[in-house]
Amino acid sequence: MKDKTNNTATGADKTVVRSYKDLLCIIQQSIEQHNEIRLVDLLVTFKVDTYTLLGKKGISTDISTDTLFVDYPVIIEGLECKEVVLNKITFNKEVSFLFSLNSEIERLAIYDCNFNCTSAYSLRIEELICGEFDMIHCSSNSSISFDGICCSDNFNIEEVEIKGGFSFRNFRLLPKEDTELYLGGSISKDVEFVNCTFFKKTIVNIETEGCIKYRLINYDIKENTDNGSNVLCQGSICMNQTTIGKRLVFSYCNIGTIDLINVTVGSISEFEFRYKRLKNQAATILRNGALQRNDDVSYANYTADIYDDYLRTISTQKLRRWIHKIDNQKEQDQIEFKKIERRYKRKSFKRKLVEPIRLLFPNLFSEEGLLLWLNKYSNNYNRSWFRGVVFTCVVAFGWYFALNYWGMHEQFFVIDWRFRGFGEVFEGYLSLLDIFNLIGERPVFELTSVGKGLMLIAKIFIAYGEWQTIYAFYKYKK
């Protein structure tokens, strides 16, 4: 019936199970000895599908629904198997998958199962290494806990109805192409993601009367950054048609993209929450939460994200239209547009230098787009006085050169790399910045008619930059 094999990695013996007959024999023996179903340290050489157990001796069956009834606690520990499918089972006692480090299941699927246990947890899965996980059309009378799971493929939970809560702890979704975690259904109490690592997409489309809490998400990878100055944000959290009765919580999270659409939430709280990008309605929903809790700083940040995303959107749309006009081949247009999108996503020094020009050029003749561009680069939407200082100095420097070469009867300065006469040239530069005449005596520029027009425009832009700098200070006077 069975034999022993030695696991060289751990030194632990495993019982080899080669047929359903052997498996049923082990189940019956465990019921007789422990009054529970115990599958411990087994190496199963075939794919297990409980649907094939229908009608087998010793298992209660509802003939009308082909449902198995299990009236014993189920403990599965140290199991190694290629595939396990639990299909149409009603568990009236607690079910525990307690895997060890030497356990692995390539695919674990739970279909049309009911967990009727009313203790703290009706289902617990711990220390599981799996390739793919499915849990579809299942119900539970109490909470479900997943702890220490490492998944290399899709982790899919759909159409579940849970009267308790749902917790994911120490969960790791590996960065395989197109992998995602999906959670959909109805959950009465809190949904928690604690100390999880998401390299790819996490989709949460549920209705809950409690909270959805993200805590310590991608937080351990903070150690891989440059002295914590640039926190590595990765993965994405997407929520669509989600109803949260109480709070949405982000605490100690480093996330690449937050994508929220039609999310209804009682309130939002956040602490040490970092992200790269907000998509769709995310910035608006998070800003409403900041307004509700009177968090002026977060409200300003999310407002800036809304403006910034809109500026990028209209700029990209214009670039797309231009490319479409130049090249009528649709396939080529899509390729070029994807290249543009990829360039926007790159966080490199080169991109930071070129990005202002890319965003300015399509919006030169758009009043709305140009205003957004000016707000972004003059003080980062009222958030950065330092950017205001830099913007003002750069604008003054540019107009100083324009006036010198195109607006004066005689050039006020000639470029000299030995810096002779630098003091006089610098005084001329300061006279442009000093629109309030704080310094007093200033150099006299012999302007042409064109130069006087340029001077007027220069003063307007310099005054705008100085006002944006002052307003950035004023914004946070409290």
Side-chain angles (χ1 to χ4, degrees):
M1 182 189 75
K2 58 185 179 180
D3 56 356
K4 300 282 186 177
T5 183
N6 184 265
N7 190 302
T8 57
T10 62
D13 291 334
K14 284 187 179 292
T15 300
V16 180
V17 181
R18 304 187 185 279
S19 66
Y20 279 109
K21 181 179 179 181
D22 294 350
L23 183 60
L24 284 172
C25 183
I26 293 173
I27 292 173
Q28 289 171 346
Q29 288 177 358
S30 67
I31 292 173
E32 293 171 0
Q33 295 177 8
H34 307 288
N35 200 32
E36 61 188 16
I37 298 176
R38 296 177 60 90
L39 304 178
V40 180
D41 292 331
L42 300 182
L43 174 58
V44 181
T45 60
F46 57 95
K47 296 180 180 180
V48 178
D49 188 342
T50 56
Y51 193 77
T52 62
L53 295 175
L54 289 172
K56 296 291 183 179
K57 184 178 179 181
I59 300 178
S60 301
T61 305
D62 184 340
I63 300 176
S64 62
T65 60
D66 286 339
T67 300
L68 303 176
F69 288 91
V70 178
D71 297 321
Y72 302 97
V74 178
I75 299 175
I76 300 176
E77 183 175 355
L79 176 66
E80 196 170 342
C81 183
K82 187 171 184 179
E83 181 175 288
V84 176
V85 179
L86 305 181
N87 201 334
K88 294 187 176 181
I89 304 178
T90 296
F91 296 95
N92 294 320
K93 300 291 182 179
E94 183 178 352
V95 179
S96 300
F97 289 81
L98 307 175
F99 295 92
S100 56
L101 294 177
N102 63 329
S103 304
E104 185 172 354
I105 295 180
E106 291 186 16
R107 181 172 182 263
L108 175 60
I110 305 173
Y111 299 134
D112 298 294
C113 291
N114 304 311
F115 299 90
N116 292 335
C117 176
T118 56
S119 60
Y121 294 100
S122 61
L123 171 64
R124 291 187 300 140
I125 301 179
E126 299 180 5
E127 302 299 333
L128 169 65
I129 299 175
C130 67
E132 182 179 355
F133 179 89
D134 286 305
M135 184 177 181
I136 301 175
H137 202 257
C138 296
S139 65
S140 173
N141 282 336
S142 58
S143 298
I144 292 177
S145 172
F146 291 166
D147 192 350
I149 294 178
C150 182
C151 182
S152 60
D153 212 321
N154 289 332
F155 199 91
N156 189 40
I157 302 173
E158 294 184 56
E159 300 179 43
V160 294
E161 185 175 353
I162 301 171
K163 295 181 180 179
F166 211 136
S167 66
F168 293 82
R169 295 178 180 274
N170 307 305
F171 183 92
R172 184 178 175 87
L173 186 63
L174 298 181
K176 186 178 177 181
E177 186 176 1
D178 296 330
T179 56
E180 67 179 32
L181 182 153
Y182 181 87
L183 174 61
S186 175
I187 300 173
S188 297
K189 297 183 179 179
D190 293 352
V191 179
E192 291 186 299
F193 296 87
V194 181
N195 195 29
C196 298
T197 303
F198 298 141
F199 291 102
K200 292 293 184 178
K201 183 183 291 186
T202 300
I203 304 174
V204 179
N205 297 341
I206 64 169
E207 293 184 5
T208 177
E209 298 173 9
C211 304
I212 295 183
K213 301 178 181 179
Y214 297 94
R215 296 171 51 211
L216 298 169
I217 305 300
N218 296 342
Y219 201 70
D220 57 339
I221 60 176
K222 186 177 181 179
E223 302 299 328
N224 298 328
T225 62
D226 300 332
N227 300 321
S229 59
N230 295 313
V231 178
L232 177 61
C233 298
Q234 58 188 1
S236 63
I237 291 178
C238 307
M239 302 174 70
N240 190 355
Q241 300 291 343
T242 301
T243 301
I244 307 170
K246 294 182 180 178
R247 289 185 302 153
L248 173 61
V249 179
F250 292 100
S251 178
Y252 296 101
C253 295
N254 302 319
I255 302 167
T257 302
I258 306 292
D259 187 355
L260 307 181
I261 302 175
N262 296 328
V263 174
T264 303
V265 58
S267 63
I268 300 174
S269 63
E270 57 186 67
F271 183 75
E272 290 289 327
F273 174 38
R274 299 178 178 88
Y275 57 86
K276 278 186 179 179
R277 186 185 177 192
L278 302 179
K279 291 182 63 177
N280 293 312
Q281 301 168 0
T284 301
I285 293 170
L286 292 170
R287 185 178 69 165
N288 291 341
L291 178 64
Q292 189 176 17
R293 63 179 184 270
N294 296 319
D295 186 345
D296 293 339
V297 175
S298 294
Y299 182 86
N301 288 338
Y302 292 129
T303 301
D305 285 322
I306 293 172
Y307 292 152
D308 196 45
D309 186 64
Y310 182 60
L311 174 61
R312 293 174 184 276
T313 299
I314 61 176
S315 300
T316 304
Q317 288 174 348
K318 289 175 182 177
L319 287 173
R320 188 178 189 180
R321 286 197 297 266
W322 291 351
I323 293 173
H324 210 69
K325 290 179 181 179
I326 295 172
D327 190 344
N328 292 323
Q329 297 178 6
K330 185 177 179 181
E331 183 178 353
Q332 185 65 26
D333 288 347
Q334 291 175 346
I335 294 172
E336 292 298 325
F337 182 57
K338 288 179 180 178
K339 288 180 180 178
I340 293 171
E341 288 185 316
R342 283 197 297 268
R343 293 193 192 108
Y344 276 134
K345 293 178 181 178
R346 292 173 188 164
K347 291 288 183 181
S348 63
F349 181 72
K350 181 179 178 181
R351 176 205 167 218
K352 290 179 180 179
L353 289 176
V354 177
E355 183 186 57
I357 300 173
R358 283 181 174 166
L359 294 178
L360 174 62
F361 186 63
N363 296 295
L364 276 174
F365 303 102
S366 167
E367 182 179 347
E368 183 181 46
L370 184 59
L371 184 60
L372 285 171
W373 186 90
L374 288 171
N375 273 275
K376 176 179 176 65
Y377 290 103
S378 63
N379 65 1
N380 198 16
Y381 305 105
N382 306 325
R383 296 185 296 175
S384 174
W385 63 265
F386 180 75
R387 183 175 290 192
V389 172
V390 174
F391 176 84
T392 306
C393 292
V394 170
V395 166
F397 188 76
W399 283 109
Y400 193 26
F401 269 81
L403 286 167
N404 184 67
Y405 288 101
W406 299 304
M408 297 185 184
H409 291 289
E410 293 185 6
Q411 291 184 14
F412 186 76
F413 65 85
V414 177
I415 296 176
D416 184 348
W417 297 109
R418 296 184 179 180
F419 297 97
R420 288 174 294 192
F422 176 77
E424 185 179 354
V425 175
F426 185 65
E427 286 179 11
Y429 175 68
L430 290 179
S431 70
L432 277 181
L433 289 170
D434 186 19
I435 61 173
F436 299 111
N437 197 26
L438 299 176
I439 299 175
E441 186 178 347
R442 61 178 66 192
V444 177
F445 297 141
E446 296 182 2
L447 300 175
T448 64
S449 299
V450 174
K452 291 178 181 179
L454 292 176
M455 176 65 81
L456 176 62
I457 299 172
K459 289 294 185 181
I460 292 173
F461 276 96
I462 293 168
Y464 173 80
E466 292 182 357
W467 162 249
Q468 290 293 82
T469 304
I470 294 169
Y471 191 75
F473 278 111
Y474 170 78
K475 188 74 175 178
Y476 299 106
K477 66 182 185 301
K478 296 180 180 180

